[in-house]
Amino acid sequence: DLWFTSFGMDAAYQLDEIELRGEFLKTWRDMPEDLGTDRREGWYVQAAYKLSRLPVRYLNRIELIARYAGVNQ
């Protein structure tokens, strides 16, 4: 009689050397007896830039990434 439910979304977009990503996940479950519910969620957004057009050897294989994330428990 106890339920566990989850919901999630994921998105990605790429244009040449730029890539944007994001994800959101939310879960909740019923707890035994009168403990209520357990709710949690997490997310992140990320931006990346590939240095593939640089004429410098080895640098053209590097990708710069910035990520921001959060969790609620």
Side-chain angles (χ1 to χ4, degrees):
D1 293 333
L2 302 176
W3 284 84
F4 175 81
T5 307
S6 66
F7 169 77
M9 281 191 306
D10 180 60
Y13 178 76
Q14 186 171 2
L15 178 64
D16 296 327
E17 288 80 30
I18 298 172
E19 184 175 310
L20 304 172
R21 293 183 171 266
E23 186 173 335
F24 174 79
L25 178 65
K26 182 171 188 163
T27 64
W28 58 95
R29 65 180 173 148
D30 293 333
M31 301 296 284
E33 300 176 15
D34 292 332
L35 296 177
T37 59
D38 178 24
R39 298 176 184 262
R40 299 172 187 231
E41 64 183 28
W43 56 272
Y44 79 88
V45 291
Q46 173 179 303
Y49 182 75
K50 297 177 184 176
L51 302 177
S52 59
R53 291 193 182 187
L54 289 179
V56 180
R57 188 176 180 188
Y58 299 113
L59 281 183
N60 60 1
R61 297 181 184 179
I62 293 178
E63 182 176 13
L64 304 174
I65 301 173
R67 178 182 269 202
Y68 186 68
V71 176
N72 296 325
Q73 295 188 3

